[in-house]
Amino acid sequence: MAFKITARTLLELGAELIGSDSVALYELVKNSIDARSPVVRISVQSVLPYSRFRQALELIDDGATALADVRQSIEGWVSGDAPASASRALFAALDKAANPKAFRAALEAGYRAANYIEIGDDGDGMSLLDLDEIFLTIGTRSRRREKSGWDPAAADPLRILLGDKGVGRLSVMRLGDHLEVRTTQAGELHWNDLDIDWRRFSHDSDALLSEVEIEPTLGERKDNPYQQGTVIRITGLKSDWSRETFGDMLKGDFARMVDPFDRKRANRIFRITYNAEPVTLPQVAQRLFDMAHATVECRLEYLEDGSARIVGEMEYNLHTRKKKSFSYDEVRIVSFTKSKSTRVVRRLGTFKLKFLWFNRLYLTAVAGFGTKSDVQALVRQWAGGLMVFRDGFRIHPYGGPDDDWLQLDKRAFGRKGYKLNRQQVVGRVQLTWRNRHLIEQTNREGLVDNEYKDAFVAILHRILEDFKTFSQDIEDDLKREELTSLDVLKRRVLDAKTDIQRRIRQIAVDAPEQAGPLKEVERIVKQLSAQIDGVDEIIDDYKDDRRKFVHLAGLGLMVELILHELGRSSGSTLSTLEGIDSSLLPGKLPAVFDTLESQLRTLQKRIETLDPLSTARRQTKENFVVQDLVQQIVDARESQAGRHKVTIKVQSTPAGAWRLKAVRGMVIQIVENILSNAFYWLKQQAIVEPGFKPLILIDIDQSSRTISITDNGSGIPRNEADEIFKPFVSAKPSGEGSGLGLYIARELADYHGWSLSLIGPAGADAWHTFVLNLDGASAK
């Protein structure tokens, strides 16, 4: 059964799919780009605003106003910059009207002739058959069929194809009531014409589309048979196209529709006029790049073996100048995109990212450019987060003034301290036709929700989060540099106190009548000095509170780990019990209870590792054998190692027990945190590398008094060897890590005179070994 579409349905479809005039205009422009036109000409002529046109019709229909007065009103409403010839033509037609009906008809015809949008190009053009079978057929996906034949491994095609839905032509329905198309291909002798009056597709009409005849016709003969291209003229405009409105459109959405970072391309492609006067598209000024307080550039690329990698650089320029190169290998990308395999990451396609960051508090006037307000206005004009472009043309509405697709504002305003929001960011992501799994929605409102978009967004979030951490660390370092040490502060207060007391004594001699007030000043100075002296006690209390915090935070992480294991084992135990067939119970009892015993033993080992961390024992030093303690920790992870097929090897040199007197719980917390990270990243490596055999090697060296833990995963980039020990720094996705584990581990080590570090070969890009040095702990 065939679907029957009414004319009214078509209008409603056009209104639903094309959400704004700027999007409608852009859809028509995309057709010209797809037709391989080197230049697109956009002409807007507005003699009488649409709202005034409607008002004039109401005056005529009401009949209470004389036609001469209506004409006079229209004369006052005509745009001041309208072409004189167009205005004369409009009023010449009105002056010939002898009655209201004729006057109304003349006004309608004059409005259509005087107000129009015209898009012209020198592209491939359309044949008479194309007009009939492609342009007049909604949903014809000729562009998509052409793109689907492109080989991702081959070089870029010679042409850019932006459209593939076959619905862009509905744009004309939104803009005006009348459409005229004149088009031709090279080699044809005639123009091909199409004329559509959309009023025949009235909202009140229930006629089927098949009942509304529209037929392309053979037009006049061409002067040059090799001429090609298309001109689309839309008349009977259905909204006001004032110079201000059109200018705002160009400064807003339309200016962003061609990559504004390419500061020359937009005005090479477009030739824009308004009422016959040239108009230039705004573009990101070079000054904006020069004023940026930070810049981030990176790209997703693929290595020869097909694996993905992200490489880039961050540069900070506010108050100081610092650069940081960064790289994410495929293991980390799979981790923070929460992918179950490499399939999505490897098929996502290459893309590039660049953004500028501004701290608006520090924007200042720029010589030769303008005042502070001018600079702030320029940043506001382009800020809005990350825009997305495919082959140089924007995917609407990402990065627009009212769009927060990456939820930068939500994340920023939901946190205390340092914030990264849309109004600070001017940036863009460059996609190409190769990113074919990032599909645009039919209504032109962003990308279709799918696993590829999820991975794409997760990658952008990670880069933004890492930049936030990078810039915040710099700000924190600068603040610390500005702080005066307590000893220097106390010395300054003492010197000031001595100087004030000397001056007070001198004034008391010269003005004995001021003795009372002077004694009060001296009392305040002594009180201030005493308060400064009391800071030492406050610092001692702070250190004690900090020690408690570190211990409690570490204990919380351990409890979280054990509860996870408890939940998993309990679930497995319940599944085992539920799987018992009562009729077979006698014969199956031994095997059933063997399984239960194994699982309960795992829980028991976990609980044993928690016992040394209890409040009663957390500060107690005791004698223990390091090898036995490490083996206990390893045994507690036996079940987890079995599930993930991780081999754990423990070796000790020299032979013999290493007896140590220290707080057992602290050693357990440190080793457990390192192992927890190792297990997570080995699991990610197994996703990326089929046949991977995870290995953790624990080396206990009594002679150097160290415990070294090495795994054969992807490792940690050498330039992050210190950064990973900072609080809340984590390469894991949200929900998988707090960024406190290694921080707490190092804090515990530092507090007890030990040290914890990440080491590796000098020339290696990634390091794999954590070393806990217990040199400060006493031997038995």
Side-chain angles (χ1 to χ4, degrees):
M1 182 182 77
F3 288 102
K4 296 181 179 180
I5 301 178
T6 65
R8 178 173 55 194
T9 302
L10 182 61
L11 285 181
E12 291 171 351
L13 181 64
E16 179 69 23
L17 295 182
I18 307 299
S20 68
D21 287 348
S22 60
V23 172
L25 186 59
Y26 183 50
E27 287 298 320
L28 297 174
V29 167
K30 284 168 66 174
N31 288 337
S32 295
I33 300 297
D34 285 350
R36 292 185 279 203
S37 179
V39 174
V40 181
R41 294 176 291 276
I42 304 172
S43 299
V44 176
Q45 180 169 293
S46 177
V47 174
L48 179 65
Y50 175 71
S51 57
R52 295 300 192 182
F53 166 65
R54 298 300 307 175
Q55 188 174 349
L57 291 180
E58 290 174 3
L59 291 175
I60 297 170
D61 294 341
D62 180 61
T65 306
L67 293 182
D69 292 336
V70 175
R71 185 196 185 284
Q72 186 175 0
S73 295
I74 294 173
E75 192 171 354
W77 292 335
V78 166
S79 302
D81 58 357
S85 59
S87 298
R88 285 196 299 270
L90 171 63
F91 288 109
L94 293 178
D95 291 340
K96 293 179 181 178
N99 54 61
K101 183 177 180 180
F103 192 91
R104 193 183 203 284
L107 178 60
E108 289 179 330
Y111 177 77
R112 283 197 301 274
N115 289 33
Y116 63 81
I117 298 170
E118 186 175 278
I119 295 93
D121 66 60
D122 303 320
D124 294 335
M126 291 177 281
S127 67
L128 205 61
L129 186 64
D130 290 337
L131 273 179
D132 188 33
E133 295 188 353
I134 297 178
F135 190 84
L136 285 177
T137 305
I138 305 301
T140 303
R141 300 187 175 188
S142 55
R143 303 302 191 199
R144 175 171 290 188
R145 286 194 294 271
E146 183 174 347
K147 284 198 279 188
S148 65
W150 292 346
D151 180 3
D156 287 340
L158 296 178
R159 67 185 299 186
I160 294 173
L161 289 182
L162 304 178
D164 66 1
K165 299 287 190 305
V167 297
R169 66 214 64 166
L170 294 177
S171 301
V172 294
M173 301 168 61
R174 177 187 177 89
L175 296 175
D177 286 333
H178 200 95
L179 168 68
E180 299 170 24
V181 179
R182 168 160 283 199
T183 182
T184 187
Q185 295 182 332
E188 293 185 321
L189 298 179
H190 294 82
W191 288 94
N192 305 304
D193 295 338
L194 178 67
D195 193 291
I196 304 177
D197 186 346
W198 294 112
R199 291 175 298 178
R200 298 174 65 191
F201 296 77
S202 168
H203 284 283
D204 298 326
S205 173
D206 290 321
L208 296 177
L209 288 183
S210 58
E211 298 172 3
V212 183
E213 285 195 23
I214 298 175
E215 194 72 31
T217 59
L218 195 65
E220 65 184 30
R221 192 177 182 89
K222 295 191 301 187
D223 295 331
N224 179 1
Y226 296 102
Q227 185 178 3
Q228 64 182 32
T230 301
V231 177
I232 294 177
R233 175 174 284 206
I234 303 163
T235 60
L237 302 184
K238 296 193 287 189
S239 60
D240 289 345
W241 284 78
S242 66
R243 182 178 292 274
E244 182 181 5
T245 299
F246 187 51
D248 289 343
M249 181 186 296
L250 294 183
K251 291 178 183 178
D253 279 345
F254 205 84
R256 297 167 184 259
M257 286 181 175
V258 177
D259 188 349
F261 279 67
D262 186 346
R263 292 185 298 279
K264 296 180 179 179
R265 185 182 187 193
N267 288 301
R268 284 199 308 265
I269 296 175
F270 297 121
R271 301 288 186 270
I272 305 174
T273 62
Y274 180 84
N275 282 348
E277 295 181 2
V279 179
T280 302
L281 262 183
Q283 53 199 5
V284 177
Q286 179 60 45
R287 288 281 190 169
L288 198 62
F289 290 85
D290 299 336
M291 292 184 295
H293 296 141
T295 306
V296 176
E297 288 191 73
C298 65
R299 66 185 181 275
L300 172 67
E301 59 186 20
Y302 294 93
L303 306 179
E304 290 184 0
D305 63 358
S307 62
R309 179 179 69 175
I310 296 174
V311 292
E313 185 174 79
M314 301 177 182
E315 182 175 2
Y316 184 90
N317 300 314
L318 182 62
H319 307 311
T320 186
R321 187 176 294 273
K322 289 189 178 182
K323 285 187 178 181
K324 173 190 174 183
S325 297
F326 64 94
S327 176
Y328 309 138
D329 61 18
E330 190 168 66
V331 174
R332 298 180 83 176
I333 298 173
V334 166
S335 170
F336 58 66
T337 57
K338 298 184 179 181
S339 301
K340 301 301 181 183
S341 70
T342 60
R343 178 182 60 85
V344 171
V345 171
R346 293 193 178 191
R347 297 177 68 187
L348 186 58
T350 61
F351 64 81
K352 296 179 181 179
L353 163 67
K354 179 174 183 177
F355 69 82
L356 314 176
W357 174 78
F358 300 86
N359 186 326
R360 290 174 296 167
L361 294 176
Y362 294 97
L363 292 174
T364 60
V366 176
F369 177 78
T371 64
K372 178 179 179 179
S373 297
D374 295 330
V375 173
Q376 290 174 332
L378 181 64
V379 173
R380 278 197 306 271
Q381 178 183 348
W382 294 107
L386 297 181
M387 297 175 280
V388 181
F389 297 86
R390 193 192 302 272
D391 294 312
F393 294 85
R394 182 173 171 226
I395 298 176
H396 189 270
Y398 297 145
D402 301 317
D403 178 73
D404 189 18
W405 71 292
L406 292 174
Q407 297 187 321
L408 289 180
D409 288 349
K410 181 178 179 180
R411 289 166 175 249
F413 299 134
R415 297 175 178 175
K416 294 182 178 180
Y418 184 84
K419 297 177 177 65
L420 175 67
N421 60 62
R422 290 190 310 119
Q423 301 311 313
Q424 296 174 318
V425 176
V426 178
R428 58 100 161 93
V429 184
Q430 291 176 293
L431 304 178
T432 68
W433 64 272
R434 296 177 188 275
N435 306 103
R436 59 181 61 188
H437 297 291
L438 295 174
I439 304 167
E440 293 177 55
Q441 295 187 48
T442 303
N443 64 359
R444 302 303 193 240
E445 293 296 321
L447 298 171
V448 172
D449 290 331
N450 59 24
E451 56 189 337
Y452 297 95
K453 180 191 174 183
D454 292 342
F456 178 57
V457 170
I459 289 171
L460 299 181
H461 277 158
R462 167 56 59 180
I463 295 167
L464 289 164
E465 284 291 327
D466 284 357
F467 166 71
K468 185 179 77 71
T469 301
F470 167 66
S471 53
Q472 182 64 61
D473 286 345
I474 294 174
E475 291 291 332
D476 291 344
D477 289 343
L478 291 172
K479 289 177 182 178
R480 281 192 289 270
E481 290 174 4
E482 293 173 358
L483 290 176
T484 306
S485 71
L486 179 63
D487 290 339
V488 173
L489 177 62
K490 290 173 67 175
R491 186 167 58 251
R492 288 181 179 177
V493 170
L494 180 61
D495 292 343
K497 173 185 173 184
T498 302
D499 184 58
I500 291 173
Q501 287 176 330
R502 180 181 60 79
R503 291 176 181 273
I504 286 175
R505 286 194 297 270
Q506 183 176 353
I507 294 173
V509 172
D510 296 338
E513 67 278 5
Q514 300 295 328
L518 290 174
K519 285 182 179 179
E520 178 62 18
V521 172
E522 188 172 16
R523 185 190 67 79
I524 293 174
V525 170
K526 288 180 179 180
Q527 185 179 23
L528 174 62
S529 178
Q531 289 176 345
I532 293 295
D533 291 337
V535 170
D536 285 325
E537 182 178 348
I538 295 173
I539 289 176
D540 289 339
D541 290 342
Y542 165 77
K543 288 179 179 178
D544 185 60
D545 289 342
R546 181 167 174 264
R547 182 182 69 251
K548 292 176 182 177
F549 161 75
V550 170
H551 171 78
L552 290 173
L555 181 59
L557 290 179
M558 291 293 294
V559 169
E560 180 182 6
L561 178 69
I562 292 169
L563 287 176
H564 173 77
E565 190 68 25
L566 178 62
R568 193 205 63 79
S569 296
S570 298
S572 180
T573 302
L574 289 172
S575 296
T576 302
L577 291 172
E578 290 169 356
I580 297 175
D581 187 338
S582 58
S583 65
L584 302 175
L585 188 59
K588 294 290 185 179
L589 275 176
V592 169
F593 282 101
D594 283 346
T595 301
L596 292 176
E597 182 182 6
S598 173
Q599 292 165 349
L600 291 173
R601 188 180 298 114
T602 297
L603 287 177
Q604 184 181 28
K605 290 175 180 177
R606 283 295 189 194
I607 293 170
E608 286 174 355
T609 63
L610 183 61
D611 181 61
L613 306 177
S614 64
T615 304
R617 299 181 60 184
R618 68 175 182 244
Q619 301 292 349
T620 305
K621 288 188 176 182
E622 54 188 299
N623 295 311
F624 58 89
V625 176
V626 174
Q627 291 92 333
D628 292 345
L629 182 64
V630 171
Q631 192 60 53
Q632 178 188 349
I633 297 171
V634 171
D635 289 344
R637 287 187 173 268
E638 180 181 2
S639 176
Q640 184 184 18
R643 290 198 309 276
H644 299 294
K645 300 179 181 178
V646 178
T647 300
I648 304 179
K649 294 182 179 180
V650 181
Q651 61 185 32
S652 179
T653 57
W658 176 9
R659 298 185 179 277
L660 194 68
K661 186 174 183 180
V663 181
R664 284 167 51 93
M666 301 304 177
V667 180
I668 292 173
Q669 282 185 278
I670 295 170
V671 174
E672 277 282 7
N673 276 317
I674 297 171
L675 288 179
S676 177
N677 276 289
F679 268 88
Y680 176 83
W681 290 110
L682 289 174
K683 184 170 66 174
Q684 301 305 311
Q685 185 71 33
I687 293 174
V688 170
E689 185 181 337
F692 174 65
K693 297 180 179 179
L695 172 66
I696 297 175
L697 177 62
I698 302 177
D699 181 45
I700 302 171
D701 190 338
Q702 185 174 355
S703 59
S704 64
R705 301 180 66 76
T706 59
I707 301 174
S708 301
I709 302 175
T710 305
D711 67 65
N712 65 336
S714 61
I716 297 171
R718 181 179 53 189
N719 61 351
E720 297 179 15
D722 288 325
E723 186 176 346
I724 59 172
F725 292 103
K726 294 178 180 179
F728 308 110
V729 172
S730 176
K732 299 175 185 177
S734 59
E736 293 287 351
S738 61
L740 287 172
L742 292 176
Y743 164 71
I744 290 171
R746 175 172 272 190
E747 287 290 306
L748 291 172
D750 289 347
Y751 182 77
H752 289 84
W754 308 334
S755 67
L756 176 63
S757 57
L758 175 69
I759 66 170
D765 293 330
W767 289 353
H768 299 75
T769 302
F770 286 92
V771 177
L772 174 62
N773 191 322
L774 299 170
D775 195 38
S778 60
K780 181 179 178 182

